[in-house]
């Protein structure tokens, strides 16, 4: 039987793996970004205790490999009587890990943000929350888009590690096909093509958002 015919006959596995990857990635990206935004907002209060806790959390996430975190949540938590399904453990690992990186990206842009805009908003009677939501966040998010795009692609690629804890995503599907039919080259070429296709779509999305931000005048801050 032709090797590509075998791949076609196993297309359902790849489709299911693709859908699982997209689900994991989209949820992790959205929730992780929300965590980054919330942490960035909390830093606006300049509370030493809160700031130190946030920085300690981010420092920890930057210091450990993603796979170690996934192992800890899936294999380590049962030691304290907390058991998670593979999908749940993998998703939680993605959210925590990349939430920290999204925050760090936003914080780096916040440091470059001109204080004059904040002073102007304060003089107009804007609250701290309104200033952050209407002035700070749109500008720092727009300027951070290229870095956000890179981080999103890294988040997408990190889903591949979850096959090690038995999450049935693209890499797990490819590994299952090659283990059954002994056609690793074809199976993993398909997996690469799927990851590449998603990455291209992400790049196009980031470019569209960048153009939209420029039209709204959010690139000057």
């Amino acid at each position: 039987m032709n090797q590509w015919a075998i791949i076609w006959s196993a297309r359902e596995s790849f489709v299911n793996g693709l859908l699982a990857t997209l689900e994991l990635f989209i949820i992790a990206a959205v929730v992780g970004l929300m965590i980054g935004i919330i942490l960035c907002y909390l830093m606006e209060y300049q509370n030493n205790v809160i700031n130190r806790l946030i920085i300690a959390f981010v420092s920890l996430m930057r210091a450990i490999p993603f796979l170690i975190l996934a192992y800890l949540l899936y294999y380590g938590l049962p030691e304290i009587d907390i058991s998670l399904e593979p999908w749940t453990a993998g998703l939680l690992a993605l959210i925590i890990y990349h939430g920290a990186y999204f925050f760090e990206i936003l914080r780096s842009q916040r440091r470059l943000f001109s204080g004059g805009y904040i002073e102007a908003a304060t003089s107009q009677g804007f609250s701290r929350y309104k200033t952050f939501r209407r002035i700070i966040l749109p500008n720092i998010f727009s300027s951070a888009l290229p870095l956000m795009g890179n981080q999103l692609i890294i988040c997408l690629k990190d889903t591949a590690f979850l096959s090690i804890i038995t999450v049935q995503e693209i890499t797990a599907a490819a590994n299952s096909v090659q283990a059954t039919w002994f056609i690793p080259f074809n199976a993993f070429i398909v997996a690469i093509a799927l990851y590449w296709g998603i990455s291209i779509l992400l790049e196009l999305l980031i470019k569209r958002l960048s153009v939209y931000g420029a039209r709204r005048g959010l690139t000057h801050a």
Side-chain angles (χ1 to χ4, degrees):
M1 188 176 183
N2 181 275
Q3 291 185 349
W4 288 112
I6 294 174
I7 293 294
W8 178 250
S9 69
R11 62 188 180 278
E12 185 176 351
S13 295
F14 285 105
V15 170
N16 291 336
L18 173 62
L19 294 176
T21 295
L22 288 174
E23 186 176 10
L24 284 164
F25 166 69
I26 291 172
I27 296 175
V30 171
V31 179
L33 181 57
M34 290 175 61
I35 290 174
I37 290 172
I38 291 171
L39 294 180
C40 194
Y41 174 67
L42 291 176
M43 292 285 285
E44 292 294 314
Y45 283 88
Q46 299 296 316
N47 183 294
N48 287 334
V49 175
I50 293 176
N51 287 4
R52 287 175 182 175
L53 289 174
I54 293 174
I55 297 304
F57 162 69
V58 173
S59 178
L60 177 63
M61 290 302 104
R62 293 178 65 183
I64 64 174
F66 170 75
L67 186 56
I68 297 298
L69 178 62
Y71 275 145
L72 175 65
L73 294 180
Y74 184 60
Y75 294 111
L77 288 183
E79 293 290 325
I80 56 174
D81 297 323
I82 301 176
S83 296
L84 299 176
E85 294 294 324
W87 194 90
T88 304
L91 177 61
L92 188 58
L94 286 169
I95 290 172
I96 294 173
Y97 194 79
H98 291 281
Y101 277 90
F102 284 131
F103 161 74
E104 190 65 15
I105 290 170
L106 291 173
R107 184 169 74 120
S108 68
Q109 298 303 309
R110 175 64 181 88
R111 288 173 174 173
L112 302 176
F113 189 71
S114 173
Y117 296 102
I118 300 173
E119 293 174 3
T122 302
S123 67
Q124 294 297 318
F126 279 36
S127 64
R128 191 193 305 268
Y129 169 73
K130 190 174 182 180
T131 299
F132 181 81
R133 182 174 64 87
R134 299 288 298 275
I135 307 297
I136 298 174
L137 182 60
N139 281 279
I140 65 174
F141 187 85
S142 181
S143 60
L145 278 174
L147 296 174
M148 287 288 186
N150 289 337
Q151 192 61 39
L152 286 171
I153 291 175
I154 293 172
C155 180
L156 170 66
K157 293 190 294 185
D158 279 350
T159 61
F161 286 115
L162 301 183
S163 62
I164 300 177
I165 61 171
T166 71
V167 176
Q168 298 302 306
E169 42 66 70
I170 292 175
T171 301
N175 193 49
S176 176
V177 171
Q178 73 86 19
T180 302
W181 299 95
F182 307 105
I183 49 172
F185 181 82
N186 304 68
F188 289 116
I189 281 293
V190 173
I192 289 171
L194 292 174
Y195 286 119
W196 191 17
I198 300 171
S199 297
I200 290 173
L201 291 176
L202 286 173
E203 291 175 2
L204 292 174
L205 175 61
I206 293 298
K207 287 181 179 179
R208 288 291 183 90
L209 290 175
S210 297
V211 171
Y212 176 78
R215 289 176 179 173
R216 294 293 299 270
L218 299 178
T219 58
H220 60 282

